[in-house]
Amino acid sequence: MANLRRRGSSLFPGLLLLFVGLLLLLHNYRGLGIVDVLGHWWPLILIFWGAVKLYERMAASRSGDPGAAKITAGEVFLVLGLLSLLGIVVAAEYFRGNIPGHFREWGNSFDFDLEVAPKSVPADARITIRNGRGNISVRPSDEAQIRVSGKKNAKAWSENDAQKVADGIGVEIVKNGDGYEIHPDGAGASDSRINLDLDVAVPKKASLTIRNEKGDITVADMAKPVSVANGVGDVEIRGTNGDVSIDTRKSDIKVSDTKGSIKISGRGREINVSGATGGLTIEGEFYGAIRADKVAKGVRFISQRTDLTLSQLAGHMEASPGNLEIFDAPGNLNVRSQDDITLENAGGKVKVDNRRGNVEVRFSVPPKDDIEINNSSAGITLSLPESSSFEIVADCHSGDIDSEFQSDSLKLISGTGSGDSHLEGKYGSGRGPKIILKTSYGSISLHRTSSDIPAPPKPPRVKAPPAPEKPEEH
């Protein structure tokens, strides 16, 4: 049997792995540019490979095994694989530095302080804040000047790269016509990798305009009108004395304790408004819940599904997808919708035009103004105090009318062959409002409530007779 010759393993794979590993390590921690190194020095890999194989051949010849220094298929695949790895790193570097948008936003976040020199302005100045990305917080100041502080948040793969991005941008305060403007400044002002979080103090009597693309906005305790246009991010405004205007593409909005009118438009998520001495106008499509509490001059809400006019809101309103609820509205109410509607304690005229949603209206005291409800493909429920007086005309196509109010002057014609029902007449001894109810493919129900009847007096409390005295024992 021929003797098997032991072939020595090559040094090249190990040395090549050490070289490439050291190259990547220097790239990650020292910022070594692999693109520059490979672009100029890639032939060194071939020179290094050839030198190692020449040394191995000379050593193999001395040991009597010249075949041990051959270039193997494994070495070829190793070289190609490592070159592919380096190519991926180079491509990633190119995409981070040259491709805009989300590719450049990958990496870690690093914060750097933002320093802006204050600027003196008139106490009633018009001030505009323009920002690309980042949160904005505005608070009032008793000083007649603008002061800006905050953070520069940069995204990059290393802190050194983030520092370079942050150094290229700042914030300046400039006079613009008869007003003043706060905006980013520098070569990197449009760089999507950086966010500017601004904390701004302005004179309390200044009128304020804010324009932001992405980020949360907070404004508190301003004495003059506030206008906000925000792309993506939450908006909160509280304690203002002037009108408030908000336009958004995708925001949760909260407005509280304002002494002016409020207008919200665009598209967004939830809206919460409370304690407004003016009126509230909402125009647009908001797919979250819309809540309003105590709006002195009423609510105007316009969307693809709803057209609501409410002259006064002393209680609560909530409009969510498929549902509209209004409680304690002393003024007139006019609504067109395609949702389930619940109204309780409306104080003025009520007019409802609805489709494919049930309508329920309840009164805790006898109504004084007319009520008109038109519905289709759904039912109507009206609850009135037993002491109410009213004239009624109710028509139900392909449905029944159920009434708990009975009177000789009320005539009910139940559905027979056609399935239609009709109720007409007068109830009560006094002069009351006119009620018109119409629906199709649904029922009409009239319920009596007794909440306005005083509770019977409690019987007088009788004192228990005193217990007999126990005789003395002798």
Side-chain angles (χ1 to χ4, degrees), residues 115-121 143 145-148 173:
E115 297 181 1
V116 183
K119 189 175 186 66
S120 298
V121 298
E143 300 176 352
Q145 62 176 207
I146 300 173
R147 290 181 283 115
V148 180
I173 306 170

Side-chain angles (χ1 to χ4, degrees), residues 323-356:
N323 191 54
L324 173 62
E325 297 179 347
I326 300 174
F327 301 94
D328 298 328
N332 298 330
L333 186 151
N334 190 328
V335 59
R336 174 189 55 78
S337 182
Q338 302 179 34
D339 301 326
D340 290 340
I341 298 176
T342 301
L343 307 178
E344 186 168 329
N345 293 335
K349 292 182 179 180
V350 174
K351 183 175 182 180
V352 177
D353 288 299
N354 200 46
R355 297 180 61 190
R356 298 189 294 273

